[in-house]
Amino acid sequence: MEILSVLNLGDFPHTFSKLGMFPVFDVAYYIVSILYLKYEPGSVEVSRRSPVASWLCAMLYCFGSYILADIMLGSSPIDYFQHNSHIVLASAVWYLIFYCPLNLFYKCVAFLPVKLVLVALKEVVRTRKIAAGVHHAHHAYHHGFIIMVIVGYVKGSGVALISNFEQLLRGIWRPETNEILNMSFPTKASLYGAILFTLQEAHWLPVSKSTLILLFTIFMATSKVVMTARHSHGSPFTLVESWVCHLLFGSSLGGSEDDHHHAAAPSPAPKSKEELSDGTRKRKAKKAE
Amino acid sequence: MEILSVLNLGDFPHTFSKLGMFPVFDVAYYIVSILYLKYEPGSVEVSRRSPVASWLCAMLYCFGSYILADIMLGSSPIDYFQHNSHIVLASAVWYLIFYCPLNLFYKCVAFLPVKLVLVALKEVVRTRKIAAGVHHAHHAYHHGFIIMVIVGYVKGSGVALISNFEQLLRGIWRPETNEILNMSFPTKASLYGAILFTLQEAHWLPVSKSTLILLFTIFMATSKVVMTARHSHGSPFTLVESWVCHLLFGSSLGGSEDDHHHAAAPSPAPKSKEELSDGTRKRKAKKAE
Amino acid sequence: MEILSVLNLGDFPHTFSKLGMFPVFDVAYYIVSILYLKYEPGSVEVSRRSPVASWLCAMLYCFGSYILADIMLGSSPIDYFQHNSHIVLASAVWYLIFYCPLNLFYKCVAFLPVKLVLVALKEVVRTRKIAAGVHHAHHAYHHGFIIMVIVGYVKGSGVALISNFEQLLRGIWRPETNEILNMSFPTKASLYGAILFTLQEAHWLPVSKSTLILLFTIFMATSKVVMTARHSHGSPFTLVESWVCHLLFGSSLGGSEDDHHHAAAPSPAPKSKEELSDGTRKRKAKKAE
């Protein structure tokens, strides 16, 4: 018996977990992802100099999670590219965001109310991807719990985990940081989500998968919408993480050797992918045009 | 009915497309590839310090296209290394080019008339590889047209696409550029060739595969021979590309934000792999000995 | 008839080659590997800032050989992570070495007599891995002798071959060197071992596999114990290598263009992974705490 059945959600979680992602949610995912690419310093210039490199980066932003998960499971990294309609759709979004006359499309989707809706839709897709990744890995390795976590994690984080190499494609190299050293909120949440979905898959969590998908989607969408609206870098995990890390590793995450700062918030990960103040980003993107 | 049958080529395209590549054409391919490796600054020094690193680079130059295509299709990246005779042959060429007493072998094959023949033979192999790559991908993904283009592209471009990592093996790191950002002529031609062969495979091009192989080989061999003979960096695509890019992306490839230069030729990609003036290269290679 | 049967070793080689590695030998392998990770400058700081990055590096140190071999043979790179008990064991070792109160565990295992025993046990595992790698590759490619050597080599060398990318995970980038350019003793020995085991697998070496495993283990364990005890960088191969390289490549390994130094020892590979003086390392590791 499920403890969550008391919430009387009825069939809604099941219906929600069967909802098709293509094309509405997927398009929102592509738009938000490629928007973040355009915020990256230098990406507009690359789109002028080498459309091929810009297109490749856009594909990594849209399908990086599939590429990474396929690599992890030993399949062809470009296996997902057999879905021509998804690729064409993502390419159309890339074209509109980078080359639309008067920058019209960009201005529409970067308009805050529109963007908040798109961000929320993107998180729906992310949660689904984590669940699908864990399920896929479970199918291949029945008792490979660590593999399930890893595959779910890369499915949720996507391009962020290979941002060093994505930047290299655009001629930028920043070896001093990476997404593992300075995890942004979506990456951390993907890790925790992958752990939760793995526990569920192993029947150690007394929750049905559809309920977990619903709850995790609500958490992710709310968090990201609030963070985007407030241009915030804070993470809802800070307090718990700080406490757990102090207990387990004798220091808070990002803490210095100085013991007086143990309770301090993690360092703000200044170069992380999705957490840069949107304000700064927009200014940069505008300047580059 | 084929529109090209009017050319009355008879059986020649078919015979040509069945011609065995091993060993004559393959040896020419290895010689020209390893010659380009020797032109790379610092490669002669590496061959003295670490023969293993030098050999590995030579193998990447000779078999990089197979390695990349195998990775793209999810096979073992060293699958091609089961062909012991090819590896031994390429290793022999590497040994002769780098360690032959009095640098005799190098001097012979770098002698311009000889080199022009070898360059022409190399392009025969390149065209075959693109066609084989597209065909192989078609076999694995019947409707994966994008996958076909990608696999054909990596089969034609080979080591150029991973030149950053090939250089890293020799202790050199140039993150500011790569073959996607600054495409050289062979890389661009491979991309266009892969698109053509994919169209042919999808029956959207009213040409038989053997005719296309013949025509593309003639185009590639002529272009490369002329470019090698004239130490030229120009590309036959410049005008068309400039026009298409202006139409599609609002700027010429390699163009700046300055609108006055829209019609200008693409920037000459100063560090691209195969396009450096042979004169400069030879001087460098000689100095390094 | 075996030429080594005259040694009258009886059944010992066979018994030795069937000896289970889990858990005693494997734990020794994990301890020594993660010890070397802790010696790396900056790794203690990373363990404070990002336990996830530190854990990932530790996993690469422990299982890098499996990851690389799986990549080489086209399997899932995280295939080995299905062995939950091995991962948990390695994670426990990582936790004890980096976070044990008072640094007690580290002090115990880094105590020279203890460490010498562990180093000897580690070499037993390494030899087994090389043999297993060659055998595995032989199973997949019956006549792929070069593939056998490559797989055995990566199984023996493990993380050393990808040290540039392991360092990148910790925010460090040293493109000017790598393990192929400056091979350390274990990497070289793995290469020679892989060649020997391939010759044995191809029946070109009149020795049974178990005898070869025994002999190679004795050689490796003795060499590494002596080198660790004497904080030495010298390699037993120096003289032979110098002579062979002079013969084949016209220069000693690491030799300059200056012919007077042809007989000189190879340059000491100042940044190689496992060869740094343990004295320096300990000082660094201590300072970092």
Side-chain angles (χ1 to χ4, degrees):
Chain A
M1 207 190 96
E2 274 188 39
I3 56 163
L4 277 157
S5 62
V6 296
L7 288 174
N8 259 330
L9 292 164
D11 269 352
F12 182 64
H14 186 72
T15 317
F16 179 75
S17 77
K18 294 287 169 217
L19 195 68
M21 291 292 108
F22 188 80
V24 180
F25 290 86
D26 278 333
V27 167
Y29 191 95
Y30 303 153
I31 291 175
V32 177
S33 299
I34 299 176
L35 217 51
Y36 281 126
L37 172 60
K38 191 159 185 177
Y39 290 157
E40 287 283 300
S43 69
V44 172
E45 209 224 327
V46 166
S47 74
R48 301 272 169 259
R49 273 175 61 203
S50 170
V52 175
S54 179
W55 179 82
L56 221 63
C57 286
M59 293 303 108
L60 283 180
Y61 265 76
C62 292
F63 305 110
S65 53
Y66 295 101
I67 294 170
L68 275 177
D70 279 329
I71 291 174
M72 285 299 144
L73 290 169
S75 318
S76 155
I78 52 172
D79 187 78
Y80 197 79
F81 285 74
Q82 69 185 293
H83 300 112
N84 297 314
S85 51
H86 292 73
I87 311 294
V88 168
L89 208 57
S91 303
V93 170
W94 160 76
Y95 187 83
L96 286 171
I97 286 185
F98 276 98
Y99 306 105
C100 183
L102 301 173
N103 216 6
L104 216 64
F105 188 79
Y106 172 78
K107 278 171 189 159
C108 286
V109 294
F111 177 56
L112 196 58
V114 177
K115 197 179 155 186
L116 290 183
V117 173
L118 294 172
V119 162
L121 295 180
K122 187 189 172 182
E123 296 309 313
V124 177
V125 180
R126 193 199 299 275
T127 307
R128 286 293 196 82
K129 279 183 173 176
I130 298 173
V134 170
H135 185 74
H136 189 178
H138 175 76
H139 193 78
Y141 297 95
H142 266 292
H143 297 285
F145 304 116
I146 296 150
I147 298 180
M148 292 183 213
V149 172
I150 293 174
V151 174
Y153 178 41
V154 301
K155 275 300 270 291
S157 311
V159 78
L161 291 178
I162 44 164
S163 55
N164 288 56
F165 297 99
E166 182 272 327
Q167 288 164 4
L168 182 58
L169 205 57
R170 293 184 278 115
I172 294 165
W173 186 243
R174 295 201 205 105
E176 66 283 359
T177 190
N178 61 59
E179 192 68 19
I180 305 275
L181 269 182
N182 292 311
M183 285 205 230
S184 61
F185 167 72
T187 314
K188 265 185 194 162
S190 297
L191 179 56
Y192 301 147
I195 293 173
L196 284 180
F197 280 103
T198 301
L199 292 176
Q200 198 281 326
E201 199 79 52
H203 303 296
W204 292 336
L205 217 63
V207 171
S208 78
K209 195 194 273 183
S210 41
T211 315
L212 189 58
I213 288 179
L214 181 65
L215 294 178
F216 197 75
T217 305
I218 293 171
F219 167 72
M220 287 300 292
T222 319
S223 306
K224 276 294 284 181
V225 165
V226 170
M227 286 166 73
T228 307
R230 296 171 60 190
H231 302 320
S232 149
H233 310 157
S235 145
F237 305 130
T238 306
L239 266 178
V240 177
E241 266 173 4
S242 173
W243 182 77
V244 169
C245 283
H246 185 53
L247 203 76
L248 278 178
F249 307 117
S251 73
S252 67
L253 266 183
S256 57
E257 262 79 79
D258 185 353
D259 275 88
H260 295 99
H261 290 296
H262 265 160
S267 73
K271 274 163 190 165
S272 79
K273 184 137 296 296
E274 297 198 12
E275 299 301 281
L276 263 176
S277 151
D278 282 333
T280 335
R281 280 176 148 176
K282 268 178 205 156
R283 249 174 291 130
K284 275 181 193 158
K286 260 178 196 156
K287 221 187 277 173
E289 314 227 338
Chain B
M1 203 193 99
E2 271 187 40
I3 56 165
L4 277 156
S5 62
V6 295
L7 289 175
N8 259 331
L9 292 164
D11 269 351
F12 181 64
H14 185 73
T15 317
F16 179 74
S17 78
K18 294 287 170 218
L19 195 65
M21 290 291 108
F22 187 80
V24 179
F25 291 86
D26 279 331
V27 167
Y29 191 94
Y30 303 152
I31 291 175
V32 177
S33 299
I34 299 176
L35 217 50
Y36 282 125
L37 172 60
K38 191 160 185 176
Y39 289 157
E40 286 284 300
S43 70
V44 172
E45 210 223 327
V46 165
S47 75
R48 301 273 170 256
R49 272 176 61 204
S50 171
V52 176
S54 179
W55 179 80
L56 221 62
C57 287
M59 292 304 107
L60 284 179
Y61 266 76
C62 291
F63 305 110
S65 54
Y66 295 101
I67 293 171
L68 275 176
D70 279 329
I71 291 174
M72 285 299 144
L73 290 170
S75 319
S76 155
I78 52 172
D79 187 79
Y80 196 79
F81 285 73
Q82 68 185 291
H83 300 111
N84 295 315
S85 50
H86 292 72
I87 311 293
V88 169
L89 208 56
S91 302
V93 170
W94 160 76
Y95 186 84
L96 286 171
I97 286 184
F98 276 98
Y99 306 105
C100 184
L102 301 173
N103 217 7
L104 215 67
F105 188 80
Y106 171 79
K107 278 171 190 159
C108 287
V109 293
F111 177 57
L112 197 57
V114 177
K115 198 177 154 186
L116 290 181
V117 173
L118 294 173
V119 162
L121 296 181
K122 187 188 173 182
E123 295 310 311
V124 176
V125 180
R126 192 199 300 274
T127 307
R128 287 294 194 84
K129 279 183 173 178
I130 298 173
V134 170
H135 185 74
H136 189 178
H138 175 75
H139 193 78
Y141 297 95
H142 266 293
H143 297 284
F145 303 117
I146 297 149
I147 299 180
M148 291 182 215
V149 172
I150 294 174
V151 175
Y153 179 39
V154 301
K155 278 296 274 287
S157 311
V159 76
L161 291 180
I162 44 165
S163 55
N164 288 57
F165 297 98
E166 183 271 326
Q167 286 164 4
L168 181 59
L169 204 59
R170 293 186 276 115
I172 294 165
W173 187 241
R174 297 203 203 104
E176 68 282 358
T177 190
N178 60 59
E179 192 68 19
I180 306 276
L181 270 181
N182 291 312
M183 283 206 232
S184 62
F185 167 71
T187 315
K188 266 184 192 161
S190 297
L191 178 58
Y192 301 146
I195 292 172
L196 284 180
F197 279 103
T198 301
L199 293 176
Q200 197 281 327
E201 199 80 50
H203 302 296
W204 291 334
L205 218 64
V207 170
S208 79
K209 194 194 278 182
S210 42
T211 315
L212 189 58
I213 287 180
L214 180 64
L215 294 178
F216 197 76
T217 304
I218 292 170
F219 167 71
M220 286 300 292
T222 319
S223 306
K224 277 293 287 182
V225 165
V226 170
M227 286 167 73
T228 307
R230 295 172 58 192
H231 302 317
S232 147
H233 310 158
S235 145
F237 306 130
T238 306
L239 266 178
V240 177
E241 266 173 4
S242 176
W243 181 79
V244 169
C245 283
H246 185 54
L247 203 76
L248 278 178
F249 307 116
S251 74
S252 67
L253 264 183
S256 57
E257 262 77 80
D258 187 352
D259 276 86
H260 296 99
H261 291 295
H262 264 161
S267 72
K271 276 164 189 164
S272 77
K273 183 139 295 292
E274 298 199 12
E275 300 301 282
L276 266 175
S277 149
D278 281 334
T280 335
R281 279 175 148 177
K282 267 178 206 160
R283 248 176 290 132
K284 275 181 197 160
K286 260 179 196 156
K287 223 190 272 175
E289 312 226 340
Chain C
M1 205 191 95
E2 272 187 41
I3 55 162
L4 277 156
S5 63
V6 296
L7 287 175
N8 259 329
L9 291 164
D11 268 352
F12 182 64
H14 185 71
T15 317
F16 179 74
S17 79
K18 293 289 170 216
L19 195 66
M21 290 292 108
F22 187 79
V24 179
F25 290 86
D26 278 332
V27 167
Y29 191 94
Y30 303 152
I31 292 175
V32 176
S33 299
I34 299 177
L35 216 52
Y36 282 125
L37 172 60
K38 192 159 184 177
Y39 290 155
E40 286 284 299
S43 70
V44 172
E45 210 222 326
V46 166
S47 74
R48 302 274 169 253
R49 274 175 60 203
S50 170
V52 175
S54 179
W55 179 81
L56 222 62
C57 287
M59 292 304 107
L60 284 179
Y61 266 77
C62 291
F63 306 110
S65 52
Y66 294 101
I67 294 171
L68 276 176
D70 280 328
I71 291 174
M72 285 301 144
L73 290 170
S75 319
S76 156
I78 52 173
D79 187 79
Y80 196 78
F81 285 74
Q82 69 183 294
H83 300 110
N84 295 313
S85 50
H86 291 72
I87 311 294
V88 169
L89 209 57
S91 302
V93 168
W94 160 76
Y95 186 84
L96 286 170
I97 286 184
F98 276 98
Y99 305 107
C100 183
L102 301 172
N103 216 7
L104 216 65
F105 189 78
Y106 172 78
K107 279 169 188 161
C108 286
V109 295
F111 177 56
L112 195 59
V114 178
K115 199 179 152 184
L116 290 182
V117 173
L118 294 172
V119 162
L121 296 180
K122 187 187 173 181
E123 295 309 312
V124 176
V125 179
R126 192 199 299 274
T127 307
R128 287 290 196 85
K129 281 182 170 177
I130 298 173
V134 170
H135 186 73
H136 190 176
H138 174 76
H139 193 78
Y141 297 95
H142 266 292
H143 297 286
F145 303 116
I146 295 149
I147 298 181
M148 291 184 214
V149 171
I150 293 174
V151 175
Y153 179 41
V154 300
K155 276 296 272 289
S157 311
V159 77
L161 291 179
I162 44 164
S163 55
N164 288 57
F165 296 98
E166 182 273 327
Q167 288 164 4
L168 181 59
L169 204 58
R170 293 185 276 115
I172 294 165
W173 187 243
R174 297 202 204 104
E176 67 282 0
T177 189
N178 61 57
E179 191 69 20
I180 304 276
L181 269 182
N182 290 312
M183 283 207 231
S184 61
F185 166 71
T187 314
K188 266 183 194 163
S190 297
L191 179 57
Y192 301 146
I195 293 172
L196 284 180
F197 281 103
T198 302
L199 292 176
Q200 196 281 325
E201 200 80 51
H203 302 296
W204 291 336
L205 217 62
V207 171
S208 80
K209 197 197 274 183
S210 41
T211 314
L212 189 58
I213 288 181
L214 181 65
L215 295 178
F216 197 74
T217 305
I218 293 171
F219 167 71
M220 287 300 291
T222 317
S223 307
K224 276 293 284 183
V225 166
V226 170
M227 286 166 74
T228 307
R230 295 172 58 189
H231 303 318
S232 148
H233 310 158
S235 145
F237 307 130
T238 306
L239 267 178
V240 176
E241 267 172 4
S242 174
W243 182 77
V244 170
C245 283
H246 184 54
L247 203 76
L248 278 177
F249 306 117
S251 73
S252 66
L253 265 181
S256 58
E257 262 79 81
D258 186 352
D259 275 87
H260 295 99
H261 291 296
H262 263 162
S267 73
K271 274 164 189 162
S272 79
K273 186 141 294 297
E274 297 199 12
E275 300 301 281
L276 266 174
S277 152
D278 282 332
T280 334
R281 280 175 151 177
K282 267 178 207 158
R283 250 175 287 131
K284 274 181 195 159
K286 261 179 197 156
K287 225 189 273 174
E289 312 225 340

